[in-house]
Each structure stands twice: as C-alpha cells, then as structure tokens.
Amino acid sequence: MPNHITRAVTQDEIAAYKQAGVVLLKGILSLDTVNSLRRSIDHVVNTLDDSPSGYDFTKILRATARNDFDQLRAMSDGQYDLEAIMDYVKSTGKPLLADDNSDAREGAYFIDTGIAAKLNSYRELCVKGALPEIAGQLLRSETVRFFGDQVFVKEPNTPGKTAFHQDATYFEIEGEQCCVMWVPADPVTLENGAMMYVRGSHRDGTLYKPNVFISQAPLPGSEGADLPDIENNLDDYDIVHFDVEPGDLLVHHYRTIHGTGGNQSRYQVRRAASIRYCGDDIRFKERPWAPQQLHHTYRLNTGDPLSGPDFPVVWERHAPELMPGAMAAEAATGQLSGTRAA
C-alpha cells in the first residue's frame, strides 16, 4: 500500500498535541503519499471552475475592494452567496486582509471543499492507511471516522491572508475528539504562508465566531465569543509556526486558533490539504451559519453520533488489519517508538 506511515507517532508527540493543541510530525508520510496528494490538488485547481464549492479568494478580495457586486453575484451560484456575505463584511467596517504591497501581486488563492466525495485517488488518501492511523493515535479513540476535507492553494505573489480563526464553529459537531490534519505538498515557510497557531488556545473550551477567512468579520448570524484582533497584535499571543517539507504533517485540535499570511515568495507555490477526523465522543450539532456541505448525502440531528457514508469508520483500535505494516506490529505488542518531532 503506497499510502503508508513511515514511522510511529511518539508519546511525546501525543503529549504535544494534547497540551499545545498542535503537533508537527516530521517525515511521517511517504513520498508516494505526497505525490498522490500533489496530483489530486493539481486536478482540483484545473477543474475549480466546475466545482460548486471551488473559489478563487483573490478574485473575491479584488471584487469586494472594487465594490464589483456583479462579479460577486456571478460567483455566488454554489456553496456561498458571496454578494450577500461581502456586502455584510463591508457593513461591519472590518478590513479585508492582505499583505503589504498587494496591488502589484497577481497570485491566486484557491480553495475547494469535499474533494474526497468526487475524486477517488484523494478519497483513498483520506480513508485508508497513514492519516486515519495517525488520527487514531492522537485522538486516543477506539474508532476514527472521516469527517471532511478542503484543499488550499496559494500561488506565488498571493496577497490574501487567512484570518486567524477556530475550525470548531465552522463544523456542525461538538465534543473533544476532532483533529485537523494540514498536509503540505510543497516546502512551506513564513514567506510563502506557513501555518501559525496560538498554542493552548483549545484548552479552555471557548467557542469563537467563525469569520469569512479574508476578513475578521464573522459569518452572518454566527454565534460565539468575538475573536480578538490577533493579526495586529501577534506579540501578545503565544504563537508558533512551523517550516515544513513534503512528508511532514501538522495536526491541530479543532478548537486551536490558527491563521496564515499570504504567499510572498516569487516562485514557490503553497499547496496543502486540510483533512479532518473524529473520535468516539463527537456528536452532531446543528449550526445554521455553518458552510453548506453540498456533497453530503443526508442530514443528521443534533445529538446524533456521526454515522453513514458521509462519515465512514476509517480506523479501529482493535483491528490490526486496518493498520499499515510496522504500525500494526507495534500496536499488537503495545509499543510505540520513533523519532521525536523537532
């Protein structure tokens, strides 16, 4: 199986995830896995115009800045009513977020959702092998269910930032056992848009209003605490970022606050997938403001455990045959060993 784990998750890494709300797992994914991810992301970009959940956030930024509501209306036939949302953003007085000198920068910021529901090779990556096994180790759950996915691409010279936010209130779930895996397909540094996390921000249980990603303005009708202005006060927070290489994996708790800058590099694209997994204690929680999941096949009720084809079981602790190679053998002997992440 090409989608395999290259080493075990260590006890120190499990502890870091629990305490900091984020952990870097160095060199844990195989080259075959990374290459499969790259091919999938490139397919997503090449077919973005055909996806009802695919967007170029750079175009949205520029159309909003120009008050070009005709263009926003033309892009509003899918997951979001962009005309209404960006009109609301304007009414809040919250600025659009972009790096300095953005007028001369032409790179695109692409996003698409629900790739696993429409691209078989990408679904294999999500539901078999390395990623579900890693989720099982970090969540300390008896079972792991696939929850969802997105793809993010920031081309070189992309001005658009991703506002600091908390995933939990975009998701229609509640509980503790949900992790988000950020899987890079390219080398990533602060220059081209490294992920930045507020360490420990998951621990007090606070739920914050979700925002529109390219502004701190909250989604219309959303509930929760107001997220502070982290972008303009970085020194006031315990923020950590990670330079990563293909084969590395970042995993954060779904309440951990995080964001990114634009891609200020001249040549290096930043391609990555965000893949989400849930453990035993997660229950469905209706949030009317949450982004529509157009690929879902049916609707759960608040309080229901996750179930059905939208949320398949992808790993079970007492099923070694689901585990790849060396990890299955180590699980059978109750041992975990490996290289500590830097």
Side-chain angles (χ1 to χ4, degrees):
M1 181 189 296
N3 178 19
H4 62 268
I5 195 169
T6 64
R7 64 170 179 84
V9 180
T10 71
Q11 293 294 338
D12 284 341
E13 289 166 339
I14 294 170
Y17 170 78
K18 180 178 180 180
Q19 293 300 316
V22 60
V23 64
L24 168 62
L25 305 179
K26 290 292 292 181
I28 201 164
L29 301 179
S30 69
L31 180 60
D32 286 338
T33 298
V34 173
N35 285 337
S36 176
L37 176 65
R38 287 172 175 154
R39 290 191 293 269
S40 294
I41 293 177
D42 290 345
H43 175 83
V44 168
V45 172
N46 291 333
T47 58
L48 196 76
D49 289 343
D50 299 324
S51 173
S53 53
Y55 295 96
D56 181 341
F57 274 14
T58 300
K59 286 184 179 179
I60 297 171
L61 266 170
R62 291 175 178 156
T64 303
R66 295 193 304 264
N67 291 314
D68 187 349
F69 287 95
D70 288 338
Q71 183 173 6
L72 291 171
R73 191 177 307 115
M75 293 188 288
S76 296
D77 60 350
Q79 188 178 27
Y80 298 107
D81 183 346
L82 294 177
E83 181 185 12
I85 289 175
M86 300 317 290
D87 185 50
Y88 164 77
V89 169
K90 287 273 191 179
S91 74
T92 70
K94 298 282 189 180
L96 301 175
L97 298 179
D99 288 330
D100 293 339
N101 303 318
S102 60
D103 289 346
R105 296 169 61 188
E106 299 297 330
Y109 175 9
F110 300 120
I111 182 173
D112 200 1
T113 303
I115 314 306
K118 53 191 175 185
L119 185 60
N120 287 337
S121 59
Y122 181 88
R123 183 173 179 82
E124 289 284 302
L125 180 77
C126 294
V127 304
K128 294 184 178 180
L131 299 182
E133 163 65 17
I134 294 166
Q137 296 301 314
L138 292 174
L139 293 175
R140 317 306 289 161
S141 181
E142 293 302 306
T143 62
V144 171
R145 288 183 181 271
F146 172 69
F147 179 65
D149 69 277
Q150 286 182 301
V151 161
F152 298 91
V153 176
K154 290 187 178 181
E155 293 182 336
N157 294 306
T158 296
K161 297 181 180 181
T162 304
F164 276 90
H165 63 281
Q166 178 192 63
D167 293 332
T169 45
Y170 296 87
F171 298 171
E172 290 194 300
I173 54 174
E174 59 184 356
E176 284 296 319
Q177 292 172 308
C178 178
C179 69
V180 179
M181 298 188 177
W182 197 81
V183 194
D186 303 286
V188 183
T189 66
L190 272 180
E191 183 185 36
N192 70 325
M195 294 285 284
M196 295 180 285
Y197 300 90
V198 182
R199 278 190 289 207
S201 53
H202 67 301
R203 291 202 301 263
D204 67 3
T206 302
L207 294 176
Y208 294 95
K209 294 176 183 176
N211 58 43
V212 299
F213 269 31
I214 53 177
S215 170
Q216 295 174 348
L219 286 176
S222 60
E223 298 175 1
D226 291 326
L227 196 67
D229 181 6
I230 299 173
E231 278 82 7
N232 293 309
N233 299 280
L234 293 177
D235 291 341
D236 294 341
Y237 298 90
D238 183 10
I239 292 175
V240 62
H241 79 274
F242 302 91
D243 292 349
V244 295
E245 298 287 337
D248 297 345
L249 178 64
L250 284 166
V251 190
H252 67 266
H253 191 282
Y254 79 138
R255 286 199 306 269
T256 301
I257 297 168
H258 57 286
T260 75
N263 185 345
Q264 301 182 54
S265 70
R266 296 179 62 187
Y267 305 109
Q268 180 62 65
V269 66
R270 195 214 72 173
R271 296 170 293 181
S274 173
I275 303 173
R276 299 84 184 249
Y277 297 96
C278 292
D280 302 324
D281 80 330
I282 294 296
R283 297 293 182 268
F284 185 81
K285 168 70 173 178
E286 184 176 7
R287 292 190 168 98
W289 61 84
Q292 295 183 66
Q293 303 301 305
L294 302 177
H295 57 285
H296 280 178
T297 58
Y298 71 108
R299 183 77 173 169
L300 294 172
N301 297 312
T302 292
D304 288 347
L306 299 186
S307 63
D310 295 328
F311 310 115
V313 173
V314 294
W315 183 86
E316 294 180 85
R317 185 166 300 281
H318 299 297
E321 67 275 9
L322 297 180
M323 304 180 191
M327 183 60 100
E330 291 187 3
T333 60
Q335 296 174 351
L336 282 174
S337 60
T339 304
R340 183 175 179 176

